[in-house]
């Protein structure tokens, strides 16, 4: 159970303060998947950073199972938007970094399975700067999956992958989720993806991010989404939510 | 490898040619011709210079090693723990400019005239260079680099071993290069007492005897020692920073 | 000598020396085994510069040093209890570059001279200028502490004159510099052997034995030609090769105290220049017990 | 700002307390008590020390400035043009270890006994530290950083001004810090000839005269000068590397 | 006219050589837009790097208007996959970098228009590390548009943008293209995007990349694509192309 109550995060820049999240509240039940969708710059990454313990200075209450964020106690699998690979570690070392840090032996079969499904087995000895963008992203995915986390925080995890790969990654994620029921916050830019992998979908307002709306998603995990009418309506509903604000803001700017 | 050898020969040719030209223009005993010096160099290499070189090499190696052992951890901590860095930076800023030569009597008092005080003098000088370089290197690591490890709840040990040390390794090697040059200079005021061995002693002694050929032979020896250690550091970098 | 010596082995002593002529008797005594004959172990520590030597003395790493009256006064003024125990024989030469057309002290007026400031070199220079009728202000003093550099500047005409100790003074002469004056010609001799008070108190028997060996060495130096110990000069003292033909060593004397006049002159010079706070009398800085 | 002042006071307190403790334990004129030294320091500050400090400051500033002017472009080029770097690195590796102290007579013959040769000695020593540090910094710029400019067909001038210089600026500042400490040490064998002004001269002279109080006053002065310049470099970094 | 003939690019790694493109050929007519689509790691970025003059050591003939690649002569707008912003330059400085390098004064109105449409006007004084992922990407887009290039090379230019922003960026791109007819290679992972912005669509094989197929796209620039049957068929065709190889490879690996 993750509960975020009245979270406000500000960044200081050379000339002024940027409010990234403003009085933001969200709850994630154990074993739930929340897809987070919102306009660029609305504070999605900021939210994940707070939950992963990276950002410390915020207002509001952020609790994981009733306790404050503490990555040493909690087992957090984080896929960073820019992948967060360590350039001096090989693909393999990067992939098993989580286990190394937790001081655990790796479940060899599971690890092999993940690396294989992610198509990384041929490049385990390479360094990140010898990979393509999508390959780097897959290493980051591998790292978080191999960790078998209690809480999975994914920041646009499949953004650098082609559609076919992306779909098989989504399925891999759902497979893993079905097996381990890991609570997940899944930030995405794709409405289709949100509908496919999100049991609930949270839509954010433009910057500073607040919750614009929350949708129970009956279409979760359904195949061949695009062909269904329900998907069309759902997708329209989300688009409308996203757009509304934009228009409001546009108006606010013009008037 | 082969290209390296060509570069080396080219560099040597340029250096020796320049030296030769200067010696021809000036025609003074204080700038002897490289030919005469090399002749002398090879003449005294087996009998004298070799032994002196070994002494100096040992002192340089011990001095640099000790400085790294002391300076790198301090520099890493000053760079990483901002509290500690803020408090200890002024201490370094006050201590580094203190002329270590002027502390010679104190060092002699504590450590005598033997090897200990010679190596201590080297350490006293280059340890600050290492601290400053390493501190700045760690400060320059972008904060995003830490995010993965923070989210994994990494202990300090891991943050050091997996991020700070590998990220600042190139600068540690830079500081070793800079320190090497400095250590060699320091030989000139540490190898002049309590010993009759070492290139510093040898050059000073030759200088006092106005024996410029021997003096320059010693300088050539130092130059070769320096080059050898620099090359060793380059090789180490090649191996340690394979990911680059 | 007293009977105690034979019964108890003498404590070893260490003496710091520079590569100059003052140190030759000690090194000869060492080489010729006179110290061993006297049953004392004397550790001769070689230094390349006066500050190194003084630091070693002040930090207690050596018991005594071949030094000068100025250094003795400075040390006492700085709170270090050292005593002059005997004089040493050295000389400082005022030399001019051969191409400058200077033939006597008077024509040095307005010229530049390389010295090291606030040292025995400057003292000797002032004395020699004074004898030639010049005041220190009449001449442009240039500080160049390193002796070989001073030599080089003289020979290349970067300065008109220089005051140098031997052996490099002899090198300069050999290469054409003109000798205007020297301390031995003037009969001043501020070079001394000094010991820390602590060593004098605890190791007086050893120091006495050392002096007996010193006398033997002086005997040796008096009767032997330079050529018979030239290798010692070159290998052990650090003199330039080929110097044996041109060097003029001072007339070494048996263990003796420095002259009261030299002493007072130095102290006056120091106090006039406000280089020391206290004025010292002869008896305050000189320990007579080692000179018969 | 306020926190900085507290850090500074803390640092000073620690340093002085440590010094005082050592002086109490040893009770020797070689290590005088800080109280006596500060008393002396303020006594001679207006009459003597101030002037000496100004001379030294000018030589240090000129030496570092000149070294930067020479060393930074060379270092940048050695890092960027790999051909040039490959050929000139061995040259640096041979020249850097040459003990510049031994070259003092040559420098004095070329440049005389005045300011020029003093500043030249500082430059001769720290220019190599700057070259090595800057070269390594440029070599460490990831190649991806250049892609935008390459695709825009940028000329070399732009690659230097828009990438290489800003990217290596932090290391240039590091090399200034390291060079500053070295420059101060160099004062000890450059301010001892041909001048009667400068902290190097002052300390050496006090040392010769066994006047440890004055000697330590001079050391304190150097320490303060160093601290001031270090702080100035920190401020410069703050302004120049605002993006960090 | 861009012509790539028999392009082969290899990377050396510590242990072995990776062939990124293999005997790859493609032609882009003046003023055409080619959408390039292919599996992750197939060499798309490599292709753009070659065309932008970043990679020099390759086999084959790469000509722009009959002349070899030379970014000083040609005016190349490149949007790098990792944005390629200079961290010490503000958003504004990064955006106008192209003009600065070319030594040209900026067309102020046009520049303002671009920055405005990209939503960057409020953050011109910030540095890249003070931006969200999508904002960084928009700065990179701004840079290449403000340059008014002759050749536009876009490497997944909208991957970090939410769907609404992405669509308005696609329209902005098409607006600009209609006005200036800039020849464009548009690398994308989204089939929908490829169909919307590509006049022709080139599908690559998995690594090492070759041309798998080329499609004339009659649906180019058509609105409300998803609703059309034609789009469905086109998209299926592309997916089949992409998948075929994957299956082949899967088979090749198992047998
Ligand atoms: N270090 C920083 N300094 C100043 N402002 C920042 C900083 N990091 C982020 N911001 C601002 O905070 C807001 C939220 O940023 P965040 O990265 O969380 O957005 P996001 O929702 O992840 O966007 P995107 O979808 O583009 O990745 C943005 O407006 C951004 O400009
Ligand atoms: N520097 C490098 N060293 C070694 N191999 C590399 C290097 N850069 C790329 N590669 C390899 O070359 C192939 C093509 O890489 P490229 O970046 O062009 O792929 P891409 O099509 O852009 O992929 P993505 O869609 O994931 O960005 C990949 O298999 C990659 O692993
Ligand atoms: Mg983000
Ligand atoms: Mg790519």
């Amino acid at each position: 159970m993750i509960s975020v109550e009245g979270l406000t995060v500000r960044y200081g820049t050379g000339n002024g303060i940027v409010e990234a999240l403003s009085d933001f509240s969200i709850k994630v039940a154990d074993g739930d998947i929340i897809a987070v969708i919102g306009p660029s710059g609305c504070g999605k990454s900021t939210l994940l950073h707070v939950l992963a313990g990276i950002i410390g200075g915020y207002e509001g209450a952020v609790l994981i199972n009733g306790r404050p964020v503490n990555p040493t106690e909690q087992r957090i699998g984080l896929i960073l938007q820019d992948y967060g690979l360590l350039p001096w570690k090989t693909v393999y070392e990067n992939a098993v970094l989580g286990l190394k840090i937790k001081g655990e032996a790796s479940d060899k079969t599971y690890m092999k399975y993940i690396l294989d499904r992610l198509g990384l087995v041929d490049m385990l000895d390479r360094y990140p700067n010898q990979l393509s963008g999508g390959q780097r992203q897959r290493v980051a995915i591998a790292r978080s999956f191999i960790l078998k986390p209690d809480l999975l925080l994914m920041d646009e995890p499949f953004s650098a992958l082609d559609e076919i790969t992306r779909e098989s990654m989504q399925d891999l994620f759902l497979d893993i989720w079905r097996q381990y029921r890991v609570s997940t916050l899944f930030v995405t830019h794709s409405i289709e993806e949100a509908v496919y992998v999100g049991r609930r979908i949270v839509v954010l307002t433009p910057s500073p991010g607040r919750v614009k709306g929350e949708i129970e998603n009956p279409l979760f995990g359904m195949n061949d989404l695009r062909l269904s009418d329900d998907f069309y309506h759902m997708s329209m509903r989300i688009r409308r939510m996203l757009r509304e604000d934009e228009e409001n803001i546009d108006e606010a700017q013009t008037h | 490898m082969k290209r390296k050898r060509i570069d080396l020969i080219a560099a040597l040719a340029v250096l020796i040619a320049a030296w030769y030209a200067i010696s021809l223009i000036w025609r003074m005993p204080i700038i002897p011709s490289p030919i005469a010096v090399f002749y002398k160099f090879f003449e005294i290499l087996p009998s004298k210079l070799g032994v002196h070189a070994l002494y100096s090499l040992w002192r340089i190696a011990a001095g640099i090693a000790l400085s790294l052992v002391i300076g790198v951890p301090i520099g890493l901590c000053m760079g990483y723990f901002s509290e500690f860095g803020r408090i200890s930076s002024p201490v370094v800023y006050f201590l580094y400019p203190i002329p270590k030569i002027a502390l010679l009597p104190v060092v002699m008092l504590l450590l005598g005239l033997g090897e200990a005080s010679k190596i201590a003098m080297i350490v006293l000088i280059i340890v600050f260079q290492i601290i400053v370089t390493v501190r700045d290197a760690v400060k320059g690591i972008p904060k995003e680099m830490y995010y993965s490890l923070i989210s994994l709840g990494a202990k300090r040990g891991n943050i050091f071993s997996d991020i700070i040390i590998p990220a600042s390794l190139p600068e540690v090697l830079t500081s070793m290069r800079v320190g090497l040059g400095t250590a060699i200079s320091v030989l000139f005021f540490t190898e002049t007492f309590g010993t009759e061995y070492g290139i510093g002693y040898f050059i000073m002694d030759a200088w006092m005897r106005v024996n410029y050929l021997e003096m320059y032979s010693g300088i050539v020896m130092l130059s070769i020692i320096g080059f050898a250690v620099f090359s060793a550091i380059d090789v180490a970098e090649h191996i340690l920073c394979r990911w680059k | 000598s007293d009977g105690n010596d034979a019964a108890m082995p003498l404590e070893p002593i260490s003496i710091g020396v520079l590569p100059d002529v003052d140190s030759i008797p000690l090194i000869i005594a060492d080489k010729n085994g006179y110290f061993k004959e006297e049953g004392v172990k004397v550790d001769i520590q070689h230094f390349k510069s006066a500050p190194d030597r003084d630091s070693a003395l002040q930090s207690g790493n050596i018991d005594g040093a071949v030094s000068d009256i100025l250094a003795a006064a400075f040390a006492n003024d700085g709170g270090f209890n050292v005593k002059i125990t005997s004089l040493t024989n050295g000389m400082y030469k005022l030399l001019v570059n051969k191409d400058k057309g200077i033939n006597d002290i008077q024509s040095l007026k307005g010229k530049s001279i390389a010295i090291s400031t606030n040292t025995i070199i400057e003292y000797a220079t002032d004395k020699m200028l004074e004898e030639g009728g010049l005041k220190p202000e009449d001449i442009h003093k240039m500080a160049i502490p390193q002796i070989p550099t001073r030599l080089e500047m003289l020979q290349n005409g970067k300065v008109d004159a220089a005051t140098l100790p031997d052996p490099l003074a002899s090198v300069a002469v050999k290469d054409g510099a003109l000798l205007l004056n020297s301390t031995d010609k003037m009969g001043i001799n501020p070079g001394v052997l000094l010991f820390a008070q602590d060593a004098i108190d605890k190791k007086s028997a050893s120091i006495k034995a050392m002096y007996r060996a010193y006398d033997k060495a002086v005997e040796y130096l008096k009767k032997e030609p330079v050529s018979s110990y030239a290798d010692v000069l070159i290998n052990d003292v650090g003199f330039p090769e080929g110097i044996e033909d041109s060097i003029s060593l001072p007339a070494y004397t048996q263990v003796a105290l420095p002259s009261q006049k030299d002493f007072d002159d130095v102290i006056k010079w120091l106090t006039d220049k406000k280089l020391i706070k206290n004025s010292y009398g002869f008896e305050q800085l000189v320990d007579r017990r080692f000179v018969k």
Side-chain angles (χ1 to χ4, degrees), chain B residues 76-77 80-81 155-166:
Chain B
L76 293 177
C77 290
Y80 181 64
F81 301 109
K155 307 232 163 37
R156 281 206 177 123
N158 278 116
I159 290 187
F160 273 85
S161 68
D162 291 336
I163 296 185
I164 298 180
I165 292 174

Side-chain angles (χ1 to χ4, degrees), chain C residues 94-95 102 105-117 122 125-126 129 134-144 150 158-163:
Chain C
L94 179 56
L95 302 153
I102 300 165
I105 300 267
Q106 283 74 28
S107 31
L108 268 179
K109 194 162 183 158
K111 305 285 184 190
S112 61
I113 181 167
I115 56 163
S116 64
T117 46
E122 185 175 12
T125 307
D126 282 1
L129 291 177
L134 288 185
K135 286 202 264 329
E137 309 84 70
D138 294 336
I139 184 165
H140 185 51
K141 289 180 185 167
M142 289 281 230
I144 302 178
R150 217 182 299 152
K158 291 275 164 183
V159 291
D160 302 313
T163 305

Side-chain angles (χ1 to χ4, degrees), chain B residues 28 30 104-105 108-109 112-113 192-194 196 201 204-205 207-212 214, chain C residues 19 45-48 52 55-56 59 61 146 148-149 151-152 156 168 234-235 238-240:
Chain B
M28 287 179 152
I30 202 165
L104 192 60
M108 281 182 172
L109 175 66
L113 299 178
T192 49
F193 60 84
E196 299 196 356
Y201 171 84
M204 271 300 196
D205 189 57
W207 191 8
M208 298 285 263
R209 296 166 191 266
V210 209
N211 190 335
Y212 289 121
E214 285 202 358
Chain C
Q45 282 283 348
H46 294 267
F47 293 91
K48 296 285 176 207
D52 282 1
S55 297
S59 59
N61 282 295
Q146 280 150 327
T149 311
L151 169 69
E152 211 56 52
N156 289 288
L168 291 198
I234 290 160
N235 295 331
F239 280 20

Side-chain angles (χ1 to χ4, degrees), chain B residues 15-29:
Chain B
L15 283 177
I16 295 172
W19 175 3
Y20 193 56
I22 295 172
S23 78
L24 283 184
I25 296 167
W26 285 84
R27 295 206 161 280
M28 287 179 152

Side-chain angles (χ1 to χ4, degrees), chain A residues 123 126-127 129-136 138 160-162:
Chain A
M123 46 197 81
R126 284 205 227 157
Y127 290 98
N129 65 2
Q130 300 170 332
L131 300 179
S132 80
Q135 289 164 345
R136 283 181 212 178
R138 281 181 272 156
L161 302 175
D162 64 289

Side-chain angles (χ1 to χ4, degrees), chain A:
Chain A
M1 172 77 173
I2 297 158
S3 108
V4 176
E5 273 285 328
L7 176 65
T8 300
V9 180
R10 296 189 186 86
Y11 293 103
T13 69
N15 36 17
I17 281 166
V18 178
E19 196 163 284
L21 286 169
S22 171
D23 195 18
F24 180 94
S25 302
I26 197 177
K27 279 202 168 29
V28 187
D30 279 343
D32 206 357
I33 306 176
I34 308 248
V36 178
I37 202 161
S40 172
C42 73
K44 303 178 294 296
S45 301
T46 304
L47 173 64
L48 295 199
H49 286 181
V50 169
L51 284 168
I54 292 168
I55 293 179
Y58 52 79
E59 284 165 30
V62 179
L63 300 172
I64 300 181
N65 296 325
R67 311 197 45 173
V69 176
N70 180 353
T72 46
E73 283 175 19
Q74 293 128 9
R75 203 176 172 86
I76 299 173
L78 172 68
I79 301 175
L80 285 157
Q81 193 170 5
D82 64 355
Y83 323 140
L85 304 182
L86 299 179
W88 41 83
K89 292 197 181 278
T90 61
V91 167
Y92 177 79
E93 291 165 346
N94 266 296
V96 299
L97 185 67
L99 295 175
K100 184 186 164 195
I101 298 300
K102 297 289 181 194
E104 293 164 14
S106 61
D107 175 345
K108 283 261 176 350
T109 349
Y110 182 69
M111 189 188 75
K112 274 209 175 135
Y113 166 73
I114 296 287
L115 290 173
D116 190 47
R117 290 256 335 233
L118 289 166
L120 294 171
V121 275
D122 292 339
M123 46 197 81
L124 293 180
D125 289 338
R126 284 205 227 157
Y127 290 98
N129 65 2
Q130 300 170 332
L131 300 179
S132 80
Q135 289 164 345
R136 283 181 212 178
Q137 191 164 46
R138 281 181 272 156
V139 178
I141 298 169
R143 179 194 288 169
S144 71
F145 285 177
I146 288 173
L147 179 67
K148 291 187 188 163
D150 300 329
L151 170 59
L152 197 47
L153 304 172
M154 303 166 91
D155 200 350
E156 304 178 27
F158 308 143
S159 63
L161 302 175
D162 64 289
E163 226 154 285
I164 313 289
T165 315
R166 173 188 275 245
E167 283 162 19
S168 80
M169 295 296 103
Q170 288 166 353
D171 288 335
L172 172 62
F173 162 63
L174 290 179
D175 284 357
I176 292 174
W177 177 79
R178 287 200 187 95
Q179 205 176 341
Y180 299 102
R181 292 280 153 176
V182 39
S183 316
T184 304
L185 265 175
F186 193 111
V187 170
T188 178
H189 280 325
S190 153
I191 294 172
E192 192 182 336
E193 184 165 82
V195 175
Y196 186 56
V197 303
R199 279 159 53 108
R200 281 192 302 146
I201 299 168
V202 171
V203 180
L204 304 196
T205 65
S207 184
R210 294 161 189 272
V211 177
K212 169 79 193 169
E214 241 183 288
I215 304 172
E216 281 297 328
N217 176 20
L219 304 177
F220 165 69
M222 190 191 274
N223 283 326
D224 286 321
L225 264 181
R226 290 198 178 180
L227 303 178
S228 95
D229 259 3
D230 289 345
F231 170 67
Y232 178 72
H233 292 301
M234 172 72 83
S235 139
M236 275 304 143
R237 193 174 151 200
I238 295 171
R239 291 177 78 88
R240 223 174 306 117
M241 277 188 175
L242 282 168
R243 262 202 220 280
E244 258 171 36
D245 274 291
E246 218 177 44
E247 275 146 27
N248 286 347
I249 278 183
D250 274 6
E251 273 168 32
Q253 278 176 343
T254 16
H255 300 309

